[in-house]
Amino acid sequence: MPLRIGDEAPDFTAKTTEGELNFHDWIGDGWAILFSHPKDFTPVCTTELGYVAGLSDEFAKRNCKVMGLSIDPVEDHLEWSKDIEETQGNAVNYPMVGDHNLTVAKLYDMIHPNASGDTKRTAADNATIRSVFLIGPDKKIKLTITYPMSTGRNFDEVLRVLDSCQLTAKHQVATPVNWKQGEDVIIVPAVSDEDAKKKFPDGWDAPKPYLRIVAQPGD
């Protein structure tokens, strides 16, 4: 079955570069990102894994863990990690799942359920395993993005969405196009004007009755 926003992120136990881990237990009561790769020792993925390692402090500030996944054994991941640190300047500092039998890829509907787990498969065979899943403390999927192999993922955008999801989970607001941390937000339609006056006593701008723009709420 395809996974959608709001579905529970499928749980799994798998071998990783940090030992055997259970996904839901590993998430704990925080946020998590699972991002997948079609093959080890591929150029675009090498840059992505290194960049994400460099964002470790940013994810930690947001109480968000990161887990990578690639369609090769853990032993290959450990060798690949050496190349990543050498070429990208950041050592991989998060667990990477060895999914050579495609178990997790199939569980997350990233590849055809009848696909073979043969390690001789090429990156092109696994092209759809280029997804990012953002998962909340409730273990529900908050975001899914799938990129083509030729396009490196924008993890600054993933951080932006994480900020938005954490803000909107706490306050009854939504974030407008291209929103960044600290910018104005939108009061959601489910909040009446009467209730909005209590929540936002300083008022708001409303170019249309359904478009109520207000300063980003503080913590």
Side-chain angles (χ1 to χ4, degrees):
M1 294 290 290
L3 291 175
R4 298 179 177 89
I5 289 174
D7 288 346
E8 181 170 295
D11 195 15
F12 60 86
T13 298
K15 292 182 179 180
T16 81
T17 51
E18 297 184 4
E20 186 171 276
L21 296 175
N22 174 267
F23 190 49
H24 280 194
D25 289 346
W26 174 81
I27 292 173
D29 59 1
W31 295 71
I33 287 170
L34 174 67
F35 71 117
S36 63
H37 308 82
K39 198 73 177 167
D40 288 9
F41 303 101
T42 49
V44 173
C45 296
T46 297
T47 65
E48 293 172 338
L49 288 159
Y51 190 82
V52 170
L55 291 175
S56 59
D57 289 345
E58 293 299 323
F59 286 116
K61 285 193 299 186
R62 294 161 172 83
N63 191 27
C64 183
K65 295 180 176 179
V66 174
M67 179 178 285
L69 176 151
S70 187
I71 308 306
D72 277 307
V74 167
E75 294 75 17
D76 288 357
H77 294 355
L78 295 171
E79 287 300 313
W80 187 21
S81 295
K82 298 174 186 177
D83 290 355
I84 293 166
E85 181 175 9
E86 177 186 344
T87 62
Q88 307 304 308
N90 294 312
V92 175
N93 47 20
Y94 46 84
M96 288 179 62
V97 174
D99 196 35
H100 62 279
N101 55 9
L102 304 178
T103 300
V104 180
K106 292 178 180 180
L107 190 63
Y108 275 74
D109 192 41
M110 292 187 278
I111 197 167
H112 194 281
N114 293 330
S116 166
D118 189 339
T119 54
K120 294 180 181 179
R121 292 174 60 86
T122 68
D125 294 326
N126 306 324
T128 55
I129 306 175
R130 288 273 298 150
S131 296
V132 180
F133 297 90
L134 173 61
I135 299 158
D138 57 0
K139 309 302 187 291
K140 299 291 181 64
I141 295 172
K142 309 300 181 183
L143 164 80
T144 64
I145 313 175
T146 301
Y147 281 71
M149 287 198 303
S150 56
T151 304
R153 284 171 275 196
N154 186 337
F155 282 95
D156 293 333
E157 167 65 4
V158 174
L159 275 177
R160 188 188 78 90
V161 177
L162 175 57
D163 283 340
S164 174
C165 287
Q166 292 185 337
L167 176 70
T168 58
K170 189 171 184 179
H171 303 280
Q172 290 183 296
V173 297
T175 56
V177 63
N178 295 333
W179 172 87
K180 294 179 182 178
Q181 187 69 261
E183 295 180 349
D184 289 348
V185 298
I186 297 169
I187 303 170
V188 297
V191 178
S192 68
D193 283 348
E194 182 178 355
D195 288 340
K197 289 175 183 176
K198 299 173 185 176
K199 292 178 177 292
F200 308 102
D202 293 334
W204 58 84
D205 294 326
K208 293 290 181 181
Y210 59 84
L211 182 57
R212 296 171 295 174
I213 301 169
V214 68
Q216 177 179 320
D219 294 333

